Amino acid sequence: MSRWRGEDAQYEHQFLVRLPPEVAKEVRDSINANSYKRKPLSIDFSDDCRRAVIEYGHDKLYGKMYDLPCIIESQKTVDRKTFYKSADVSQLLICKEDASSDEDIIDVSSMTKGGKILNRKELKKYAIIHGISPPLKNVRKRRFRKTAKKKYAHSIEVER
Amino acid sequence: NTTGGGVSNTLGVRAVLHSTPSVQLNPKLFPTHWTPYSLRNFHRPIFCRPNYGKHHKAPFMIRSVTKRIRKKAKERERARAASGGGEIFFMVNLEDLSATDGEVMLLEYSEEHPPLIQAVGMASRVKNYYRKKASKDTGPQSPEIGEMVMVNNNSPFLGSLSHGQLLQAFENNLYRTPIYKHKMPDDLFLVIKNHNGYHIREAKWLHTGGQLCPKFEVPSPNSKKASNFVRDFLQVYIYRLFAKSTDNPKRIKMDAIKKSFTSHSESSIRKRLKLCADFKRTGDHSNYWILKPDFRLPSEEELRDMVTPEQACAYACMLAAEQKLKDAGYVGKTVVEDEDNEDSQKIEDEVKTAPWNTTRAFLQALQGKCQLSLTGDADPTGCGEGFAYVRVPNKPVVPKDESNVINKQRTVTGTDADLRKLSLKNARQVLRDFGISDEEIKKLSRWEVIDVVRTMSTAAVKSGEDGLSKFARGSRFSLAEHQERYREECQRIFEIQNKVLASEEVLSTDEESVSEGDDEFD
């Protein structure tokens, strides 16, 4: 009922998306001008939710979902003094205008009943080392204390 | 406050008021059951179910929420006006916590594993601490968010603010942390997925969070505090189930609880049920637990006092940290510090960084019961930019190899270190060794010569020179000096953190290496 399988422990799931500069400007303008509906924006995911295709009007963007190094809280306010935590934001979808490899072109027809959980090794491919604020650039390598593992650390793939 | 840092918990006494779902411990926000998988992704949810919500099929439309933000803002404005302009509480339902309206700040914590992490729905306040300049000061330009709080030398942090310095802080009942404003990158948007589909918006502010100053103690694994929490959490859950029951008499089924509390044995659940209900095997209520007729269900207010969201967060943080230690190979007894064992040297470094140890050390240091080691392995930054919250004694510690020196000083009488037996000739020689000219020495009387010998020897030892300790007097550091050094060290790290995390300067690293690839990072 209330297992924390990622998103279930929050009311909403939130993630960040990074768009190419020109598209970002256009999207930002249309959001602010409230004329956003002129160009429809849609998203589609691969089975493991690591790849996405974003369509903006006739433009196609290819995205890859990364895991951010730091815990980011999305904090909501209606008076600019008290803040209510709205969600944990822990992923960043980086979108590019061209598919850099075959891997990026996902087969939309095979989408998705959803819910594939990657193992730890697969997850590492999606770990981004930079935080989103300037001082946390390269934080995973530069600023995180390393955990000293004991020799008999057991394989953690066993339990789920 | 003699323990340096002068961290005050009395500043900003105004309590925060959490959203209603938070204080009701809504299972959507406070899981009743944790798996190793969920603990490893603690507060780092991984998106894995795009087709959440029945009415949405791929590809999913992403909608702007600008209209909704305006509409909701107007609604709130009307409600405020209707109430006569007072403060109204708007966070009543889960929907009210949605980021699809209101203004949004992104707070990026600099610690990989903060000792305490809030659950969704909990409230915090932003405080803008400011220390006035010595001369006439009309105050700083007020930041967009938060409320101004004037401080003097009663700093709310481990270091103190300089005159004219403003430092923003994010605080709640669990912790206070300095925050540093940064420019939101132009190409970054927030995507929100809920039962209404996908939404896109701008987040207005971006802040980096510094190292937390805990206000709440995380319980140790298997401690009495932890097991009491588990007991009370279940009990309150049961009371709320009864409260929700619309049957007369109020009744619930065991299955409803077992489903949520899968790690509890049936007998432990039964134990909590028996306190307030009777099990019916037969009749109209067969297989139901019926609330005892003479049992008065606690009111919602009472339930809120029995288990707080803060306790639930602290307990969950303990579980996640315990999982992390287990994964790194620390098992069983080594994980928990013996409550009576004051000798923290015996605990392994990795365990010292566990939140039950760091929060406890920090809170005890605030009360002046100990100091913090400040540097060393437990520094969460691993590069000297943070504080190590590890307990060390208040008094100066004498390293073992120097204890001989101290012994000598205790048995000065009758040895060649006895200043009374030091001849004037020899004393003058000592002064010459210190580099004082013969002319100067000749001007001094015997007692003045001895006095200079003593002062200079003591000073030499304090500055770490060898071989002159014979005539040194007094302990190497007085308590006051020791505390002064502690304060200086706190201040130094405080300033490093402020400098580093406020910096807009992007470190030059290989821009292309966004992904970690095959490198180890954990």
Side-chain angles (χ1 to χ4, degrees):
Chain A
M1 193 165 120
S2 53
R3 285 171 168 229
W4 186 318
R5 296 273 308 234
E7 61 191 303
D8 286 0
Q10 32 193 13
Y11 169 67
E12 291 181 329
H13 193 92
Q14 300 178 16
F15 58 88
L16 294 168
V17 59
R18 175 172 291 156
L19 298 173
E22 306 81 57
V23 184
K25 193 180 177 306
E26 218 176 304
V27 169
R28 186 171 299 272
D29 288 348
S30 65
I31 287 178
N32 289 337
N34 207 10
S35 60
Y36 175 79
K37 273 180 185 163
R38 281 190 315 203
K39 268 193 184 181
L41 185 66
S42 73
I43 192 164
D44 209 343
F45 292 95
S46 67
D47 256 0
D48 59 7
C49 295
R50 289 294 174 172
R51 304 277 165 177
V53 176
I54 284 190
E55 283 188 55
Y56 179 60
H58 294 295
D59 294 333
K60 238 183 189 182
L61 302 171
Y62 301 90
K64 194 172 170 189
M65 187 79 99
Y66 291 96
D67 298 334
L68 289 159
C70 299
I71 288 174
I72 300 177
E73 290 179 342
S74 140
Q75 292 279 356
K76 171 184 181 172
T77 182
V78 295
D79 64 1
R80 296 191 173 186
K81 289 190 174 70
T82 305
F83 290 75
Y84 293 87
K85 178 160 169 178
S86 176
D88 286 301
V89 180
S90 60
Q91 290 183 300
L92 170 62
L93 183 68
I94 298 182
C95 297
K96 290 182 175 162
E97 266 151 344
D98 39 26
S100 52
S101 70
D102 292 345
E103 226 191 331
D104 289 342
I105 305 164
I106 50 170
D107 182 6
V108 177
S109 64
S110 75
M111 311 259 184
T112 162
K113 309 293 172 284
K116 189 190 167 199
I117 295 171
L118 300 177
N119 69 32
R120 216 168 159 79
K121 210 169 182 182
E122 288 173 301
L123 275 179
K124 276 190 184 175
K125 282 197 295 194
Y126 299 102
I128 194 169
I129 58 171
H130 305 302
I132 58 169
S133 54
L136 299 182
K137 178 126 199 227
N138 203 18
V139 65
R140 221 191 277 271
K141 281 185 176 158
R142 201 189 64 80
R143 202 171 205 274
F144 283 169
R145 180 187 169 277
K146 303 288 175 287
T147 302
K149 280 194 177 166
K150 286 220 149 180
K151 271 183 194 158
Y152 48 90
H154 58 293
S155 166
I156 56 172
E157 297 299 335
V158 187
E159 342 152 36
R160 268 282 151 82
Chain B
N1 194 336
T2 56
T3 52
V7 178
S8 156
N9 264 344
T10 54
L11 284 172
V13 278
R14 188 179 170 152
V16 291
L17 197 56
H18 300 309
S19 72
T20 311
S22 291
V23 289
Q24 291 176 341
L25 303 177
N26 187 312
K28 272 267 173 206
L29 311 178
F30 295 92
T32 51
H33 174 66
W34 298 86
T35 62
Y37 175 81
S38 63
L39 290 171
R40 286 181 193 124
N41 291 328
F42 191 57
H43 290 281
R44 290 178 163 90
I46 289 173
F47 185 56
C48 58
R49 263 177 273 177
N51 54 348
Y52 190 72
K54 289 174 213 158
H55 311 296
H56 301 281
K57 291 214 159 57
F60 309 102
M61 294 304 299
I62 308 180
R63 295 180 176 84
S64 162
V65 288
T66 307
K67 263 188 186 166
R68 188 186 143 86
I69 294 171
R70 286 187 195 143
K71 190 177 139 233
K72 280 283 186 180
K74 269 185 195 150
E75 277 175 28
R76 278 191 286 267
E77 219 35 70
R78 271 200 296 275
R80 271 195 201 109
S83 79
E87 273 193 47
I88 307 185
F89 187 66
F90 290 109
M91 303 296 157
V92 181
N93 301 308
L94 279 175
E95 295 79 55
D96 297 326
L97 300 171
S98 170
T100 54
D101 69 273
E103 293 178 303
V104 171
M105 163 175 78
L106 297 181
L107 178 51
E108 186 173 41
Y109 289 87
S110 58
E111 287 179 89
E112 186 178 18
H113 302 288
L116 287 155
I117 309 169
Q118 282 192 302
V120 169
M122 290 170 74
S124 308
R125 292 177 81 82
V126 170
K127 301 275 176 67
N128 304 318
Y129 290 105
Y130 182 71
R131 186 171 183 184
K132 281 193 173 171
K133 290 172 200 151
S135 57
K136 273 185 186 172
D137 187 358
T138 50
Q141 199 188 352
S142 211
E144 272 190 305
I145 56 168
E147 57 201 302
M148 294 298 300
V149 181
M150 296 298 165
V151 291
N152 292 312
N153 46 10
N154 54 337
S155 172
F157 305 100
L158 282 175
S160 44
L161 300 177
S162 57
H163 291 284
Q165 187 182 2
L166 179 117
L167 186 57
Q168 288 190 287
F170 187 79
E171 47 190 279
N172 48 53
N173 300 332
L174 291 173
Y175 54 82
R176 164 187 297 139
T177 180
I179 56 173
Y180 307 87
K181 189 177 189 300
H182 289 285
K183 189 180 169 296
M184 182 70 70
D186 285 333
D187 54 357
L188 214 56
F189 297 88
L190 184 65
V191 175
I192 303 152
K193 194 197 74 175
N194 57 25
H195 61 282
N196 284 325
Y198 288 78
H199 312 276
I200 190 166
R201 68 170 294 168
E202 295 176 290
K204 195 165 177 107
W205 304 287
L206 171 62
H207 283 84
T208 308
Q211 186 175 3
L212 304 192
C213 304
K215 292 184 185 175
F216 202 88
E217 196 173 312
V218 173
S220 303
N222 308 315
S223 64
K224 202 176 166 208
K225 229 182 188 176
S227 53
N228 284 354
F229 168 79
V230 172
R231 183 195 65 201
D232 296 344
F233 188 63
L234 173 61
Q235 189 74 64
V236 165
Y237 188 88
I238 289 171
Y239 287 153
R240 286 204 167 98
L241 277 187
F242 274 118
K244 256 189 262 170
S245 163
T246 50
D247 296 312
N248 192 16
K250 287 183 180 295
R251 57 179 197 175
I252 58 173
K253 274 193 165 171
M254 170 68 102
D255 283 352
I257 308 161
K258 254 168 65 183
K259 214 167 51 182
S260 301
F261 289 81
T262 50
S263 54
H264 285 246
S265 69
E266 199 164 318
S267 66
S268 72
I269 298 175
R270 202 177 296 125
K271 208 166 141 191
R272 308 261 62 91
L273 276 167
K274 269 183 183 165
L275 288 173
C276 59
D278 295 313
F279 184 65
K280 299 286 182 215
R281 284 174 205 288
T282 54
D284 289 347
H285 307 300
S286 141
N287 281 327
Y288 273 99
W289 286 84
I290 309 282
L291 191 68
K292 286 178 184 167
D294 57 341
F295 187 85
R296 187 189 71 86
L297 267 184
S299 69
E300 178 57 32
E301 283 306 307
E302 287 167 317
L303 290 176
R304 287 176 191 186
D305 286 343
M306 283 173 73
V307 181
T308 64
E310 282 79 10
Q311 289 171 322
C313 290
Y315 179 77
C317 288
M318 179 272 282
L319 289 183
E322 192 187 27
Q323 184 67 50
K324 189 179 146 242
L325 284 173
K326 276 184 195 163
D327 288 346
Y330 299 82
V331 280
K333 270 196 167 173
T334 56
V335 174
V336 190
E337 182 187 349
D338 186 355
E339 298 264 327
D340 304 320
N341 182 7
E342 289 296 314
D343 184 7
S344 56
Q345 300 298 318
K346 283 177 189 161
I347 316 164
E348 291 185 79
D349 284 341
E350 210 47 49
V351 181
K352 281 185 202 165
T353 69
W356 49 91
N357 287 327
T358 56
T359 55
R360 187 149 165 253
F362 186 87
L363 290 170
Q364 290 198 339
L366 281 199
Q367 295 165 13
K369 287 182 184 164
C370 65
Q371 290 188 347
L372 301 168
S373 72
L374 301 178
T375 54
D377 284 335
D379 166 13
T381 69
C383 60
E385 291 173 11
F387 302 91
Y389 295 157
V390 173
R391 264 187 311 175
V392 292
N394 263 329
K395 285 178 200 152
V397 188
V398 182
K400 272 186 188 130
D401 57 328
E402 286 170 33
S403 56
N404 290 339
V405 176
I406 306 294
N407 284 343
K408 253 186 204 165
Q409 284 173 2
R410 282 199 193 119
T411 57
V412 147
T413 313
T415 68
D416 64 345
D418 193 338
L419 286 169
R420 289 171 300 185
K421 289 194 173 175
L422 187 66
S423 71
L424 187 57
K425 193 181 156 198
N426 289 342
R428 282 184 171 151
Q429 186 53 47
V430 172
L431 290 191
R432 266 179 225 115
D433 293 345
F434 273 121
I436 298 171
S437 68
D438 283 337
E439 273 180 45
E440 290 288 322
I441 294 170
K442 272 178 194 164
K443 286 181 196 161
L444 303 172
S445 73
R446 174 184 153 86
W447 287 115
E448 281 165 342
V449 170
I450 298 298
D451 186 45
V452 175
V453 167
R454 196 182 59 214
T455 349
M456 294 201 73
S457 300
T458 308
V461 166
K462 276 184 184 167
S463 62
E465 284 172 46
D466 286 332
L468 300 158
S469 59
K470 201 158 72 172
F471 303 113
R473 293 297 180 264
S475 63
R476 302 192 58 182
F477 296 113
S478 69
L479 199 60
E481 276 174 304
H482 183 68
Q483 285 174 345
E484 186 52 34
R485 289 218 167 182
Y486 180 67
R487 262 193 294 274
E488 283 168 15
E489 191 67 359
C490 285
Q491 188 68 24
R492 185 183 66 80
I493 300 171
F494 175 69
E495 283 168 14
I496 290 178
Q497 171 169 276
N498 289 342
K499 186 175 157 237
V500 170
L501 294 184
S503 169
E504 291 276 353
E505 190 184 332
V506 174
L507 296 160
S508 57
T509 49
D510 186 3
E511 192 65 44
E512 295 306 304
S513 69
V514 274
S515 171
E516 187 75 357
D518 293 329
D519 290 357
E520 285 289 320
F521 65 81
D522 59 355

